[in-house]
Amino acid sequence: MATSFKHYINGRWETGVTLGISENPSDLADVIGEFARADAAQAESAIRAAADAREAWAASTPQRRFEVLDFVGSEILARKDELGALLAREEGKTLPEAIGEAARAGQIFKFFAGEALRIPGERLASVRPGVDIEVTREPVGVVGLIAPWNFPLAIPAWKIAPALAYGNTVVFKPAELVPGCAWALAEIISRSGLPAGAFNLVLGSGRLVGQTMVDSPLVDAISFTGSVGVGEGILAAASARRAKVQLEMGGKNPLVVLADAALDRAAEHAIQGAFYSTGQRCTASSRIIVEAPVFDRFAELMRQRTRSLVVGHAMERGTQIGPVVSREQLEQDLAYVAIGRQEGAEWLAGGEALERPTRGHYLSPALFIAQPKQRIAREEIFGPVACLIRADDYEHALALANDTPFGLCAGICTDSLARATHFKRHAQAGMVMVNLPTAGVDPHVPFGGRKGSSHGPREQGRHAVEFYTTVKTAYTAAG
């Protein structure tokens, strides 16, 4: 075994009740390591530790919180190549993308180190003479954080960093596919100067660890990123006991290409948005809606570019698309390719399991021409599978873009300022991109969507304060 990944509970590293294996999806013979799996009792121990530490950490000074988060951010940035290599091995993201994600995680911790020094508040005049009003923000308490496998450093960073910055204590459960990345992040945090119990890492299944966090009366808030089905279950269970809930649950994101767009540039945006990170991101451009006058020309351009993409080992120079993260995910992607063919979508490229010098979960990016009501045009696939949809004109394209139960991100490629402005106002999405891929966001601004994509306050940036704090209004009469 390369290494052993343990839980971090109440300031100590602990073994698990059972063990699991983390494999490299680019090379199944490469075992990343073995990882501990907790049961409900071990998860409860981590929750109690966070509850015991909450008062002390909530009372910590802004300077101390700054120093903790700045330490973590600085070390991640100093080790971004090493951490990126681990991420590429464990999750299958290409090495340049993985190093970029590690850097982003470091930047997020640095940003929230600064935010710890400027937690907002207000002092207002009362309508009554001799009375002062203060509006302050206080920590929510114990926060349970459940993160997915597709961004195993960045998403935990944008949950953990604000939670700690605003004085909360944390119980963090990563996805079982990426225990090595979670352990590496926790190992840095363990040396940051936090008091025991303020941060806890618990590895294991959602059924045991995640559900224990959701059900525990000691957990004051739950932040979850993952599938719609699991998110809806968390919302029902946690809301029933009045816990605060934040959900990010995916998307079926449209990229509209109008006839006046620069088609070469639009095709590059579509390729990056649909297929980079192996299409395994909730902001992927899985519906590419093209205005009729340029549809055939754009479809041929996309077919050529999709077929030219280099699929290979995530660590190899020149690889553009790494492997799918797991056998289960590969089988799901292939099932949707078959569904597309069965429903009559016109196949243009890809959708085939590939053999490479190392045995892994390789899939050629798949591109279809689809009808709006076909399943591949409506359901989130979470892989390198995209469809082109023909639109009669701009108004039709906007209607198609909004015809989805999701609302995370929407994009438009156009040289018309009027159309771009109208689209930014009328696209039913939490984020809008103009002449950019739908995937690719900055770490210092809000992240989140509408409709079935998100629930609760936004993640990232200064808007994170809305979830990780509660507001108190205090009145004082002089004398």
Side-chain angles (χ1 to χ4, degrees):
M1 293 296 171
T3 190
S4 178
F5 307 125
K6 298 180 180 180
H7 312 297
Y8 185 69
I9 299 174
N10 202 23
R12 297 184 299 272
W13 296 102
E14 296 187 7
T15 57
V17 177
T18 60
L19 294 176
I21 301 297
S22 175
E23 295 178 325
N24 181 347
S26 293
D27 181 1
L28 300 182
D30 177 23
V31 175
I32 311 300
E34 63 180 15
F35 65 93
R37 279 198 180 110
D39 61 5
Q42 207 163 24
E44 289 170 355
S45 175
I47 293 167
R48 286 195 300 272
D52 290 343
R54 60 180 290 180
E55 287 190 17
W57 184 242
S60 62
T61 65
Q63 182 63 30
R64 186 179 181 192
R65 296 181 201 173
F66 167 85
E67 290 168 355
V68 165
L69 295 174
D70 188 62
F71 170 90
V72 176
S74 295
E75 181 157 337
I76 291 172
L77 289 172
R79 295 171 55 193
K80 67 180 188 299
D81 291 348
E82 170 199 345
L83 294 169
L86 171 62
L87 196 165
R89 281 181 67 209
E90 187 169 55
E91 192 266 346
K93 194 167 293 181
T94 64
L95 184 58
E97 288 181 308
I99 293 172
E101 180 179 335
R104 179 179 175 184
Q107 291 161 359
I108 290 168
F109 272 96
K110 289 280 204 177
F111 174 85
F112 282 107
E115 290 302 281
L117 295 173
R118 46 180 176 260
I119 296 173
E122 296 176 273
R123 183 171 181 177
L124 302 172
S126 173
V127 297
R128 294 168 289 174
V131 176
D132 287 334
I133 302 173
E134 292 175 292
V135 181
T136 55
R137 289 189 175 272
E138 297 182 353
V140 173
V142 176
V143 181
L145 306 177
I146 303 174
W149 49 260
N150 61 325
F151 284 85
L153 292 177
I155 292 179
W158 82 47
K159 294 180 186 292
I160 295 167
L164 295 175
Y166 298 122
N168 302 282
T169 55
V170 169
V171 181
F172 168 45
K173 193 209 90 65
E176 285 197 282
L177 287 172
V178 287
C181 289
W183 176 88
L185 183 57
E187 195 280 329
I188 295 172
I189 294 172
S190 74
R191 294 183 283 101
S192 66
L194 280 171
F199 170 82
N200 304 271
L201 167 69
V202 187
L203 304 169
S205 72
R207 183 176 55 86
L208 287 176
V209 177
Q211 196 62 50
T212 300
M213 291 164 59
V214 170
D215 292 339
S216 173
L218 296 178
V219 176
D220 302 288
I222 295 283
S223 178
F224 166 82
T225 301
S227 70
V228 173
V230 174
E232 289 176 343
I234 288 173
L235 179 60
S239 296
R241 61 176 186 80
R242 296 180 177 84
K244 202 169 186 178
V245 180
Q246 179 186 63
L247 305 175
E248 289 296 336
M249 299 178 291
K252 192 68 177 176
N253 307 292
L255 177 67
V256 171
V257 179
L258 297 185
D260 64 0
L263 294 190
D264 281 342
R265 185 176 64 183
E268 183 60 29
H269 296 332
I271 291 291
Q272 287 190 26
F275 299 131
Y276 279 46
S277 297
T278 321
Q280 296 174 150
R281 45 191 179 185
C282 54
T283 54
S285 309
S286 51
R287 295 187 299 140
I288 304 163
I289 300 165
V290 185
E291 202 171 7
V294 295
F295 184 89
D296 292 340
R297 185 152 51 104
F298 190 78
E300 177 58 23
L301 190 59
M302 285 292 294
R303 184 187 70 83
Q304 293 174 5
R305 294 201 179 189
T306 301
R307 291 186 175 188
S308 71
L309 290 168
V310 179
V311 180
H313 196 296
M315 302 287 285
E316 290 181 356
R317 185 184 299 273
T319 293
Q320 294 172 287
I321 310 296
V324 174
V325 70
S326 68
R327 182 68 196 177
E328 180 182 25
Q329 191 66 41
L330 176 62
E331 290 173 351
Q332 177 176 298
D333 295 345
L334 289 170
Y336 270 104
V337 170
I339 288 168
R341 292 179 182 271
Q342 291 162 8
E343 290 186 334
E346 181 181 345
W347 172 82
L348 295 181
E352 300 168 334
L354 301 174
E355 292 186 0
R356 290 294 182 263
T358 54
R359 188 167 61 93
H361 306 307
Y362 297 105
L363 178 67
S364 57
L367 184 66
F368 288 88
I369 296 175
Q371 299 300 313
K373 298 302 181 183
Q374 290 173 340
R375 288 180 63 188
I376 60 168
R378 297 201 64 79
E379 298 176 11
E380 185 178 36
I381 300 171
F382 219 69
V385 183
C387 58
L388 299 169
I389 301 171
R390 187 187 301 267
D392 298 335
D393 50 29
Y394 168 72
E395 288 74 19
H396 186 211
L398 176 62
L400 289 171
N402 289 334
D403 182 21
T404 172
F406 295 103
L408 183 58
C409 193
I412 187 169
C413 294
T414 179
D415 281 346
S416 167
L417 178 60
R419 294 298 193 206
T421 302
H422 187 274
F423 188 83
K424 285 190 290 184
R425 172 63 182 83
H426 294 280
Q428 296 171 4
M431 298 178 289
V432 179
M433 307 291 191
V434 177
N435 294 325
L436 289 165
T438 58
V441 296
D442 288 356
H444 66 296
V445 295
F447 179 96
R450 296 166 57 173
K451 298 191 281 190
S453 288
S454 304
H455 173 84
R458 292 288 191 260
E459 297 196 277
Q460 292 201 141
R462 291 187 170 181
H463 284 69
V465 74
E466 299 296 337
F467 178 72
Y468 291 102
T469 65
T470 185
V471 174
K472 177 179 284 183
T473 304
Y475 295 85
T476 303

